[in-house]
Coordinates of all heavy atoms in Angstrom, one line a residue:
M701 N 7.2 -20.1 -16.3 CA 6.2 -19.6 -15.5 C 6.7 -18.3 -14.8 O 7.9 -18.0 -14.7 CB 5.9 -20.7 -14.4 CG 5.3 -21.9 -14.8 SD 4.6 -22.9 -13.5 CE 2.9 -22.5 -13.7
E702 N 5.8 -17.5 -14.6 CA 6.1 -16.2 -14.0 C 6.4 -16.3 -12.5 O 5.8 -17.2 -11.8 CB 4.8 -15.3 -14.2 CG 4.5 -14.9 -15.5 CD 3.2 -14.1 -15.6 OE1 2.3 -14.3 -14.9 OE2 3.1 -13.4 -16.5
W703 N 7.2 -15.5 -12.1 CA 7.6 -15.4 -10.5 C 7.2 -14.0 -10.1 O 7.4 -13.1 -11.0 CB 8.9 -15.8 -10.3 CG 9.2 -17.3 -10.4 CD1 9.4 -18.1 -11.5 CD2 9.1 -18.2 -9.4 NE1 9.5 -19.4 -11.1 CE2 9.3 -19.5 -9.8 CE3 8.7 -18.0 -8.0 CZ2 9.2 -20.6 -9.0 CZ3 8.7 -19.2 -7.2 CH2 9.0 -20.4 -7.6
F704 N 7.0 -13.8 -8.9 CA 6.7 -12.5 -8.3 C 7.4 -12.3 -7.0 O 7.5 -13.2 -6.1 CB 5.1 -12.4 -8.1 CG 4.3 -12.5 -9.3 CD1 3.8 -13.7 -9.7 CD2 4.0 -11.4 -10.1 CE1 3.1 -13.9 -10.9 CE2 3.2 -11.5 -11.2 CZ 2.8 -12.8 -11.6
L705 N 7.8 -11.2 -6.7 CA 8.2 -10.6 -5.4 C 6.9 -10.0 -4.8 O 6.2 -9.2 -5.6 CB 9.3 -9.6 -5.7 CG 9.6 -8.8 -4.3 CD1 10.5 -9.7 -3.5 CD2 10.4 -7.6 -4.6
Y706 N 6.7 -10.3 -3.6 CA 5.5 -9.6 -2.9 C 5.9 -9.1 -1.6 O 6.8 -9.6 -0.9 CB 4.3 -10.5 -3.0 CG 4.5 -11.8 -2.2 CD1 4.1 -11.8 -0.7 CD2 5.1 -13.0 -2.5 CE1 4.3 -12.9 0.1 CE2 5.3 -14.1 -1.8 CZ 4.9 -14.1 -0.5 OH 5.0 -15.1 0.3
I707 N 5.1 -8.1 -1.1 CA 5.3 -7.5 0.2 C 4.0 -7.6 0.8 O 3.0 -7.1 0.2 CB 5.8 -6.2 0.1 CG1 7.3 -6.1 -0.5 CG2 6.1 -5.6 1.7 CD1 7.9 -4.8 -0.7
L708 N 3.9 -8.3 2.0 CA 2.6 -8.2 2.7 C 2.8 -7.2 3.9 O 3.9 -6.9 4.4 CB 2.5 -9.5 3.3 CG 2.3 -10.8 2.5 CD1 2.1 -12.0 3.3 CD2 1.3 -10.6 1.4
K709 N 1.7 -6.7 4.4 CA 1.7 -5.9 5.5 C 0.6 -6.3 6.5 O -0.5 -6.5 6.1 CB 1.3 -4.3 5.2 CG 1.5 -3.3 6.4 CD 1.1 -1.9 5.8 CE 1.3 -0.9 7.0 NZ 1.0 0.4 6.7
S710 N 1.0 -6.5 7.8 CA 0.1 -6.8 8.8 C -1.0 -5.8 9.1 O -0.5 -4.6 9.3 CB 0.9 -7.1 10.1 OG 0.0 -7.4 11.2
K711 N -2.2 -6.1 9.1 CA -3.3 -5.2 9.3 C -3.2 -4.9 10.9 O -3.9 -3.8 11.3 CB -4.7 -5.7 8.9 CG -4.6 -5.8 7.3 CD -6.1 -6.3 7.1 CE -6.3 -6.3 5.5 NZ -7.6 -6.8 5.2
V712 N -2.6 -5.7 11.7 CA -2.7 -5.5 13.1 C -1.6 -4.6 13.6 O -1.8 -3.7 14.4 CB -2.6 -6.9 13.8 CG1 -2.4 -6.8 15.3 CG2 -3.8 -7.8 13.5
C713 N -0.4 -4.8 13.1 CA 0.8 -4.1 13.7 C 1.5 -3.3 12.7 O 2.5 -2.7 13.1 CB 1.6 -4.9 14.6 SG 2.5 -6.1 13.6
G714 N 1.3 -3.4 11.5 CA 2.1 -2.7 10.4 C 3.4 -3.3 10.0 O 4.1 -2.8 9.3
K715 N 3.7 -4.5 10.5 CA 5.0 -5.2 10.2 C 4.9 -5.6 8.6 O 3.8 -5.8 8.1 CB 5.2 -6.3 10.9 CG 5.7 -6.0 12.4 CD 6.1 -7.3 13.0 CE 6.6 -7.0 14.4 NZ 7.9 -6.4 14.5
Y716 N 6.1 -5.6 8.0 CA 6.1 -6.1 6.6 C 6.7 -7.5 6.6 O 7.5 -7.9 7.4 CB 6.9 -5.2 5.7 CG 6.3 -3.8 5.6 CD1 6.7 -2.7 6.4 CD2 5.3 -3.7 4.7 CE1 6.1 -1.5 6.2 CE2 4.6 -2.4 4.5 CZ 5.0 -1.3 5.3 OH 4.5 -0.1 5.2
Y717 N 6.3 -8.3 5.5 CA 6.8 -9.5 5.2 C 7.2 -9.6 3.6 O 6.2 -9.2 2.8 CB 5.9 -10.7 5.5 CG 6.4 -12.0 5.1 CD1 7.3 -12.7 5.9 CD2 6.1 -12.6 4.0 CE1 7.7 -13.9 5.6 CE2 6.6 -13.8 3.5 CZ 7.5 -14.5 4.3 OH 7.9 -15.7 4.1
V718 N 8.4 -9.9 3.2 CA 8.7 -10.0 1.8 C 9.0 -11.4 1.5 O 9.5 -12.3 2.1 CB 10.1 -9.2 1.7 CG1 10.6 -9.3 0.2 CG2 10.0 -7.8 2.1
G719 N 8.3 -11.7 0.4 CA 8.4 -13.2 -0.2 C 8.3 -13.3 -1.7 O 8.2 -12.3 -2.4
V720 N 8.6 -14.5 -2.1 CA 8.6 -14.8 -3.6 C 7.6 -15.9 -3.9 O 7.5 -16.9 -3.0 CB 10.0 -15.2 -4.0 CG1 10.1 -15.7 -5.4 CG2 10.9 -14.0 -3.9
S721 N 6.9 -15.9 -4.9 CA 5.8 -16.9 -5.2 C 5.5 -16.8 -6.6 O 5.6 -15.8 -7.3 CB 4.7 -16.8 -4.3 OG 3.7 -17.7 -4.7
Q722 N 4.9 -18.0 -7.2 CA 4.3 -18.0 -8.6 C 2.9 -17.5 -8.5 O 2.3 -17.2 -9.5 CB 4.4 -19.3 -9.3 CG 5.9 -19.6 -9.6 CD 6.0 -21.0 -10.3 OE1 5.6 -22.0 -9.7 NE2 6.5 -21.0 -11.5
D723 N 2.3 -17.6 -7.3 CA 1.0 -17.1 -7.1 C 0.8 -16.5 -5.7 O 0.4 -17.0 -4.7 CB 0.1 -18.4 -7.0 CG -1.4 -18.2 -7.0 OD1 -1.8 -17.0 -6.7 OD2 -2.2 -19.1 -7.3
P724 N 1.1 -15.1 -5.7 CA 1.0 -14.3 -4.4 C -0.3 -14.4 -3.7 O -0.4 -14.3 -2.5 CB 1.4 -13.0 -4.9 CG 2.1 -13.0 -6.2 CD 1.5 -14.4 -6.8
G725 N -1.4 -14.5 -4.5 CA -2.8 -14.6 -3.9 C -2.9 -15.8 -3.1 O -3.5 -15.8 -2.0
R726 N -2.4 -16.9 -3.6 CA -2.5 -18.3 -2.9 C -1.6 -18.2 -1.7 O -1.9 -18.7 -0.6 CB -2.1 -19.3 -3.8 CG -2.2 -20.7 -3.2 CD -1.9 -21.9 -4.2 NE -0.7 -21.7 -4.9 CZ 0.5 -22.2 -4.5 NH1 0.6 -23.0 -3.5 NH2 1.6 -22.0 -5.2
R727 N -0.4 -17.6 -1.8 CA 0.5 -17.5 -0.7 C -0.2 -16.6 0.5 O 0.1 -16.8 1.6 CB 1.9 -16.8 -1.1 CG 2.7 -17.7 -1.9 CD 3.1 -18.9 -1.1 NE 4.0 -18.6 0.0 CZ 4.4 -19.3 1.0 NH1 3.9 -20.5 1.2 NH2 5.2 -18.8 1.9
L728 N -0.8 -15.6 0.1 CA -1.6 -14.7 1.0 C -2.5 -15.5 1.9 O -2.5 -15.5 3.2 CB -2.3 -13.6 0.4 CG -3.1 -12.6 1.3 CD1 -2.2 -11.9 2.3 CD2 -3.9 -11.6 0.5
I729 N -3.3 -16.4 1.1 CA -4.2 -17.3 1.9 C -3.4 -18.1 2.8 O -3.8 -18.4 4.0 CB -5.0 -18.1 0.9 CG1 -6.0 -17.2 0.2 CG2 -5.8 -19.2 1.7 CD1 -6.6 -17.9 -1.0
F730 N -2.3 -18.7 2.4 CA -1.4 -19.6 3.2 C -0.9 -18.8 4.6 O -1.0 -19.3 5.6 CB -0.3 -20.0 2.5 CG 0.7 -20.9 3.2 CD1 0.4 -22.3 3.4 CD2 1.9 -20.5 3.6 CE1 1.3 -23.1 4.1 CE2 2.8 -21.2 4.3 CZ 2.5 -22.6 4.5
H731 N -0.4 -17.6 4.3 CA 0.0 -16.8 5.4 C -1.0 -16.5 6.3 O -0.8 -16.4 7.6 CB 0.7 -15.5 4.9 CG 2.0 -15.8 4.2 ND1 3.1 -16.4 4.8 CD2 2.4 -15.4 3.0 CE1 4.2 -16.3 4.0 NE2 3.7 -15.8 2.9
N732 N -2.2 -16.3 5.9 CA -3.3 -15.8 6.7 C -4.0 -17.1 7.5 O -4.9 -16.9 8.3 CB -4.4 -15.0 6.0 CG -4.0 -13.5 5.9 OD1 -3.3 -13.0 6.8 ND2 -4.3 -13.0 4.8
T733 N -3.8 -18.3 7.1 CA -4.4 -19.4 7.5 C -3.6 -20.6 8.1 O -3.8 -21.1 9.3 CB -5.4 -20.0 6.5 OG1 -4.8 -20.4 5.4 CG2 -6.5 -19.1 6.2
I734 N -2.6 -21.0 7.3 CA -1.9 -22.2 7.6 C -0.6 -22.0 8.1 O -0.1 -22.6 9.1 CB -1.7 -23.1 6.2 CG1 -3.1 -23.4 5.7 CG2 -0.8 -24.3 6.5 CD1 -3.0 -24.0 4.3
E735 N 0.3 -21.0 7.6 CA 1.6 -20.8 8.1 C 1.7 -20.7 9.6 O 0.9 -20.0 10.2 CB 2.1 -19.4 7.4 CG 3.4 -18.9 8.0 CD 4.6 -19.7 7.6 OE1 4.6 -20.3 6.5 OE2 5.5 -19.7 8.4
K736 N 2.7 -21.3 10.1 CA 2.8 -21.3 11.6 C 4.1 -20.5 12.1 O 4.5 -20.4 13.2 CB 2.9 -22.7 12.2 CG 1.6 -23.5 12.0 CD 1.6 -24.7 12.8 CE 0.4 -25.6 12.5 NZ -0.8 -25.0 12.3
G737 N 4.9 -19.9 11.1 CA 6.0 -19.2 11.4 C 5.8 -17.7 11.8 O 4.8 -17.4 12.5
F738 N 6.7 -16.9 11.3 CA 6.7 -15.5 11.5 C 5.3 -14.9 11.3 O 4.7 -14.1 12.1 CB 7.7 -14.8 10.8 CG 7.7 -13.2 10.8 CD1 8.2 -12.5 11.9 CD2 7.0 -12.5 9.8 CE1 8.1 -11.1 12.0 CE2 7.0 -11.1 9.8 CZ 7.5 -10.5 10.9
T739 N 4.7 -15.2 10.1 CA 3.5 -14.5 9.7 C 2.3 -14.8 10.5 O 1.4 -14.1 10.6 CB 3.2 -14.8 8.2 OG1 3.1 -16.2 8.0 CG2 4.2 -14.1 7.3
S740 N 2.3 -16.0 11.2 CA 1.1 -16.5 12.0 C 0.9 -15.5 13.2 O -0.2 -15.4 13.7 CB 1.3 -17.9 12.6 OG 2.3 -18.0 13.4
R741 N 1.9 -14.8 13.7 CA 1.8 -14.0 14.9 C 1.1 -12.6 14.6 O 0.7 -12.0 15.5 CB 3.2 -13.7 15.5 CG 3.7 -15.0 16.0 CD 5.1 -14.7 16.5 NE 6.0 -14.4 15.4 CZ 7.4 -14.7 15.4 NH1 7.8 -15.3 16.5 NH2 8.1 -14.4 14.4
Y742 N 1.2 -12.2 13.3 CA 0.7 -10.9 13.0 C -0.5 -10.8 12.0 O -0.6 -9.9 11.2 CB 1.8 -10.0 12.5 CG 3.0 -10.0 13.4 CD1 4.2 -10.9 13.2 CD2 3.0 -9.3 14.6 CE1 5.3 -10.8 14.0 CE2 4.1 -9.4 15.5 CZ 5.2 -10.1 15.2 OH 6.3 -10.1 16.0
R743 N -1.3 -11.9 11.9 CA -2.4 -11.9 11.1 C -3.5 -11.0 11.5 O -3.6 -10.5 12.6 CB -3.2 -13.4 11.2 CG -2.3 -14.4 10.6 CD -3.0 -15.7 10.8 NE -2.2 -16.8 10.2 CZ -2.0 -17.9 10.7 NH1 -2.7 -18.3 11.7 NH2 -1.2 -18.9 10.1
P744 N -4.2 -10.4 10.5 CA -4.3 -10.8 9.2 C -3.2 -9.9 8.3 O -2.8 -8.8 8.8 CB -5.7 -10.4 8.6 CG -6.1 -9.3 9.6 CD -5.4 -9.6 10.9
W745 N -2.9 -10.4 7.1 CA -2.0 -9.8 6.2 C -2.8 -9.4 4.9 O -3.9 -9.9 4.6 CB -0.9 -10.7 5.7 CG 0.0 -11.2 6.9 CD1 -0.1 -12.1 7.8 CD2 1.2 -10.4 7.4 NE1 0.8 -12.2 8.7 CE2 1.7 -11.2 8.4 CE3 1.8 -9.4 6.9 CZ2 2.9 -10.8 9.0 CZ3 3.0 -9.0 7.6 CH2 3.5 -9.6 8.6
E746 N -2.2 -8.3 4.3 CA -2.7 -8.0 3.1 C -1.5 -7.7 2.1 O -0.3 -7.3 2.6 CB -3.5 -6.6 3.1 CG -2.7 -5.4 3.6 CD -3.5 -4.1 3.7 OE1 -4.6 -4.0 3.0 OE2 -3.1 -3.3 4.6
I747 N -1.7 -7.8 0.9 CA -0.7 -7.7 -0.2 C -0.6 -6.2 -0.5 O -1.7 -5.5 -0.8 CB -0.8 -8.4 -1.6 CG1 -0.8 -9.9 -1.2 CG2 0.1 -8.1 -2.6 CD1 -1.2 -10.8 -2.4
V748 N 0.6 -5.6 -0.4 CA 0.7 -4.1 -0.6 C 1.6 -3.8 -1.8 O 1.7 -2.7 -2.2 CB 1.1 -3.4 0.7 CG1 0.1 -3.4 1.8 CG2 2.5 -4.0 1.2
F749 N 2.3 -4.9 -2.3 CA 3.2 -4.6 -3.4 C 3.5 -6.1 -4.1 O 3.7 -7.0 -3.4 CB 4.6 -4.2 -2.8 CG 5.6 -3.9 -4.0 CD1 5.6 -2.7 -4.7 CD2 6.6 -4.9 -4.2 CE1 6.6 -2.4 -5.5 CE2 7.6 -4.6 -5.2 CZ 7.5 -3.4 -5.9
I750 N 3.4 -6.0 -5.4 CA 3.8 -7.2 -6.2 C 4.7 -6.6 -7.3 O 4.3 -5.7 -8.0 CB 2.5 -7.9 -6.8 CG1 1.6 -8.4 -5.7 CG2 2.9 -8.9 -7.7 CD1 0.4 -9.0 -6.1
K751 N 5.7 -7.3 -7.7 CA 6.5 -7.0 -8.8 C 6.7 -8.3 -9.6 O 7.3 -9.3 -9.0 CB 7.9 -6.5 -8.4 CG 8.9 -6.3 -9.5 CD 10.1 -5.7 -9.0 CE 11.2 -5.4 -10.1 NZ 10.8 -4.4 -11.0
E752 N 6.3 -8.3 -10.8 CA 6.6 -9.5 -11.7 C 8.0 -9.5 -12.1 O 8.7 -8.5 -12.4 CB 5.7 -9.3 -12.9 CG 5.8 -10.6 -13.9 CD 4.8 -10.4 -15.1 OE1 3.9 -9.6 -15.1 OE2 5.0 -11.2 -16.0
C753 N 8.5 -10.6 -12.1 CA 10.0 -11.0 -12.3 C 10.2 -11.9 -13.5 O 9.3 -12.7 -13.8 CB 10.8 -11.5 -11.1 SG 10.6 -10.5 -9.7
E754 N 11.3 -11.9 -14.2 CA 11.6 -12.7 -15.4 C 11.9 -14.1 -15.0 O 11.7 -15.0 -15.8 CB 12.6 -12.1 -16.2 CG 12.3 -10.8 -16.8 CD 13.4 -10.2 -17.7 OE1 14.4 -10.9 -18.1 OE2 13.4 -9.0 -18.0
S755 N 12.4 -14.3 -13.8 CA 12.8 -15.7 -13.4 C 12.7 -15.7 -11.8 O 12.7 -14.8 -11.2 CB 14.2 -16.0 -13.8 OG 15.1 -15.1 -13.1
K756 N 12.8 -16.9 -11.3 CA 12.8 -17.2 -10.0 C 14.0 -16.6 -9.3 O 14.1 -15.9 -8.2 CB 12.7 -18.7 -9.6 CG 12.7 -19.0 -8.1 CD 12.6 -20.5 -7.8 CE 12.5 -20.8 -6.4 NZ 12.4 -22.2 -6.1
K757 N 15.2 -16.7 -10.0 CA 16.4 -16.1 -9.6 C 16.4 -14.7 -9.4 O 16.9 -14.1 -8.5 CB 17.6 -16.4 -10.6 CG 18.9 -16.0 -10.2 CD 20.0 -16.5 -11.1 CE 21.3 -16.0 -10.7 NZ 22.4 -16.4 -11.6
E758 N 15.7 -14.0 -10.3 CA 15.5 -12.5 -10.3 C 14.7 -12.2 -9.0 O 15.0 -11.3 -8.3 CB 15.0 -11.9 -11.5 CG 14.8 -10.4 -11.4 CD 14.1 -9.9 -12.7 OE1 12.9 -10.5 -13.1 OE2 14.6 -8.9 -13.3
A759 N 13.6 -12.9 -8.8 CA 12.7 -12.6 -7.8 C 13.5 -12.8 -6.5 O 13.3 -12.1 -5.5 CB 11.5 -13.5 -7.8
L760 N 14.2 -13.9 -6.3 CA 14.9 -14.2 -5.1 C 16.1 -13.2 -4.8 O 16.3 -12.8 -3.6 CB 15.6 -15.6 -5.1 CG 14.6 -16.7 -5.1 CD1 15.3 -18.1 -5.5 CD2 14.0 -16.8 -3.7
N761 N 16.7 -12.6 -5.9 CA 17.6 -11.5 -5.7 C 17.0 -10.3 -5.2 O 17.5 -9.6 -4.3 CB 18.4 -11.3 -7.0 CG 19.4 -12.3 -7.4 OD1 19.8 -13.1 -6.5 ND2 19.7 -12.4 -8.6
F762 N 15.8 -9.9 -5.7 CA 15.2 -8.8 -5.1 C 14.7 -9.0 -3.7 O 14.9 -8.1 -2.8 CB 13.9 -8.5 -5.9 CG 14.1 -7.9 -7.3 CD1 13.3 -8.3 -8.4 CD2 15.0 -6.9 -7.5 CE1 13.6 -7.8 -9.7 CE2 15.2 -6.4 -8.8 CZ 14.5 -6.8 -9.9
E763 N 14.2 -10.2 -3.4 CA 13.9 -10.5 -2.0 C 15.1 -10.4 -1.1 O 15.0 -9.7 0.0 CB 13.4 -12.0 -2.0 CG 13.0 -12.3 -0.5 CD 12.6 -13.8 -0.3 OE1 13.2 -14.6 -1.2 OE2 11.8 -14.2 0.5
K764 N 16.2 -10.9 -1.5 CA 17.4 -10.8 -0.7 C 17.9 -9.3 -0.5 O 18.2 -9.0 0.6 CB 18.6 -11.6 -1.4 CG 19.8 -11.7 -0.6 CD 20.9 -12.6 -1.4 CE 22.1 -12.6 -0.5 NZ 23.1 -13.4 -1.3
K765 N 17.7 -8.5 -1.6 CA 18.2 -7.1 -1.4 C 17.3 -6.4 -0.5 O 17.7 -5.6 0.5 CB 17.9 -6.5 -2.9 CG 18.3 -5.1 -2.9 CD 18.2 -4.6 -4.4 CE 18.5 -3.2 -4.4 NZ 18.4 -2.6 -6.0
I766 N 16.0 -6.6 -0.5 CA 15.1 -5.9 0.4 C 15.3 -6.3 1.8 O 15.4 -5.6 2.7 CB 13.6 -6.1 0.0 CG1 13.3 -5.3 -1.3 CG2 12.6 -5.6 1.1 CD1 11.9 -5.7 -1.9
K767 N 15.4 -7.6 2.0 CA 15.6 -8.2 3.4 C 16.9 -7.7 3.9 O 17.1 -7.6 5.2 CB 15.5 -9.7 3.4 CG 14.1 -10.2 3.3 CD 14.0 -11.7 3.3 CE 12.5 -12.1 3.4 NZ 12.4 -13.7 3.4
G768 N 17.9 -7.5 3.1 CA 19.3 -7.0 3.5 C 19.3 -5.6 4.0 O 20.0 -5.1 4.8
W769 N 18.2 -4.7 3.6 CA 18.1 -3.4 4.0 C 17.7 -3.4 5.5 O 18.1 -2.4 6.1 CB 17.1 -2.7 3.2 CG 17.4 -2.3 1.8 CD1 18.6 -2.2 1.4 CD2 16.6 -2.2 0.7 NE1 18.6 -1.9 0.0 CE2 17.4 -1.9 -0.4 CE3 15.2 -2.2 0.6 CZ2 16.8 -1.7 -1.7 CZ3 14.7 -1.9 -0.7 CH2 15.4 -1.7 -1.8
E770 N 16.9 -4.4 5.9 CA 16.4 -4.4 7.3 C 15.8 -3.0 7.7 O 16.1 -2.6 8.9 CB 17.5 -4.9 8.3 CG 18.0 -6.3 8.0 CD 19.0 -6.7 9.0 OE1 19.3 -6.0 9.9 OE2 19.7 -7.8 8.8
S771 N 15.1 -2.4 6.8 CA 14.7 -1.0 7.1 C 13.3 -0.9 6.8 O 12.9 -1.0 5.4 CB 15.4 0.0 6.6 OG 14.9 1.2 6.7
R772 N 12.3 -0.7 7.7 CA 10.9 -0.5 7.3 C 10.8 0.8 6.6 O 10.0 0.9 5.6 CB 10.2 -0.2 8.7 CG 8.9 0.3 8.6 CD 8.3 0.5 10.0 NE 6.9 0.8 9.9 CZ 5.9 -0.1 9.8 NH1 6.3 -1.3 10.1 NH2 4.7 0.3 9.7
L773 N 11.6 1.8 6.8 CA 11.4 3.1 6.0 C 11.9 2.9 4.5 O 11.2 3.5 3.7 CB 12.4 4.1 6.5 CG 12.1 4.6 8.0 CD1 13.1 5.5 8.6 CD2 10.7 5.2 8.1
I774 N 12.8 2.1 4.2 CA 13.1 1.9 2.8 C 12.1 1.0 2.1 O 11.7 1.3 1.0 CB 14.6 1.1 2.7 CG1 15.6 2.1 3.2 CG2 14.8 0.8 1.2 CD1 17.0 1.6 3.1
I775 N 11.5 0.1 2.9 CA 10.3 -0.8 2.2 C 9.2 0.3 2.0 O 8.7 0.1 0.9 CB 10.0 -1.9 3.2 CG1 11.0 -2.9 3.3 CG2 8.6 -2.4 2.8 CD1 10.7 -4.1 4.3
E776 N 8.9 1.2 2.9 CA 7.9 2.1 2.6 C 8.2 3.0 1.4 O 7.2 3.4 0.7 CB 7.6 2.9 3.8 CG 6.9 2.1 4.9 CD 6.6 2.7 6.2 OE1 7.2 3.8 6.4 OE2 6.0 2.0 7.1
K777 N 9.4 3.4 1.2 CA 9.8 4.1 0.0 C 9.7 3.3 -1.3 O 9.3 3.8 -2.3 CB 11.2 4.6 0.1 CG 11.3 5.7 1.1 CD 12.8 6.3 1.2 CE 12.8 7.4 2.1 NZ 14.0 8.3 2.0
V778 N 9.9 1.9 -1.2 CA 9.7 1.0 -2.3 C 8.2 1.1 -2.7 O 7.7 1.2 -3.9 CB 10.1 -0.4 -2.0 CG1 9.6 -1.4 -3.1 CG2 11.7 -0.4 -2.0
L779 N 7.3 1.0 -1.7 CA 5.9 1.0 -1.8 C 5.4 2.3 -2.5 O 4.5 2.4 -3.3 CB 5.1 0.8 -0.5 CG 5.4 -0.5 0.2 CD1 4.8 -0.6 1.6 CD2 5.1 -1.7 -0.7
K780 N 6.0 3.4 -2.2 CA 5.6 4.7 -2.7 C 6.3 4.9 -4.1 O 6.0 6.0 -4.8 CB 6.1 5.9 -1.8 CG 5.4 5.9 -0.5 CD 5.9 6.9 0.3 CE 5.3 6.9 1.7 NZ 5.9 7.9 2.6
G781 N 7.3 4.0 -4.6 CA 8.0 4.2 -5.8 C 9.1 5.1 -5.7 O 9.7 5.4 -6.8
E782 N 9.5 5.5 -4.6 CA 10.7 6.4 -4.4 C 12.1 5.7 -4.5 O 13.1 6.3 -4.6 CB 10.6 7.1 -3.0 CG 9.4 8.0 -2.9 CD 9.2 8.6 -1.5 OE1 10.0 8.3 -0.6 OE2 8.2 9.3 -1.4
V783 N 12.0 4.4 -4.3 CA 13.2 3.5 -4.3 C 12.9 2.4 -5.2 O 11.8 1.6 -5.0 CB 13.6 2.9 -2.9 CG1 14.8 1.9 -3.1 CG2 14.0 4.1 -1.9
L784 N 13.7 2.2 -6.2 CA 13.5 1.2 -7.3 C 14.4 0.0 -6.9 O 15.4 0.1 -6.4 CB 13.8 1.7 -8.6 CG 13.1 2.9 -9.2 CD1 13.5 3.3 -10.5 CD2 11.6 2.7 -9.2
I785 N 13.6 -1.2 -7.2 CA 14.4 -2.4 -6.8 C 14.7 -3.1 -8.2 O 14.1 -2.8 -9.2 CB 13.6 -3.5 -6.0 CG1 12.2 -3.6 -6.4 CG2 13.7 -2.8 -4.6 CD1 11.6 -4.6 -5.7

């Protein structure tokens, strides 16, 4: 099965959320309705980036890399294609 790295952006405050899923569209619905953690505070969310990965391990490695940057500016460069993951 395919795995995807996805980045969400809050339509309210512009914060980003990075995640991994086999179905990013379904996860978006979850984040916008059911999730009670971080994403519930900044609803609604929209998907701004999806990268198809060869395996769950690869997707998780990309997620870890992006979260390790802890930088909104670098995430925005990923979205523009200026930084490759």
Side-chain angles (χ1 to χ4, degrees):
M701 296 194 101
E702 299 173 325
W703 283 89
F704 299 90
L705 168 79
Y706 64 91
I707 300 176
L708 304 179
K709 184 176 182 181
S710 168
K711 292 182 179 182
V712 174
C713 67
K715 287 189 178 287
Y716 291 102
Y717 176 85
V718 180
V720 170
S721 176
Q722 289 181 304
D723 187 346
R726 184 173 54 95
R727 288 294 293 161
L728 175 63
I729 293 168
F730 179 80
H731 288 299
N732 279 328
T733 58
I734 300 169
E735 171 69 31
K736 296 196 185 325
F738 172 81
T739 58
S740 67
R741 295 178 289 210
Y742 305 107
R743 290 180 183 145
W745 294 89
E746 65 181 333
I747 296 176
V748 293
F749 181 84
I750 296 178
K751 178 178 179 63
E752 185 175 345
C753 300
E754 293 181 14
S755 66
K756 182 178 183 179
K757 182 178 180 179
E758 180 184 49
L760 289 170
N761 285 339
F762 286 139
E763 178 187 35
K764 184 177 179 180
K765 181 178 181 179
I766 291 172
K767 287 182 175 179
W769 290 332
E770 295 183 9
S771 172
R772 171 188 188 86
L773 296 175
I774 294 178
I775 289 174
E776 289 174 352
K777 287 184 178 194
V778 168
L779 299 177
K780 293 177 186 174
E782 297 172 3
V783 172
L784 300 177
I785 52 170

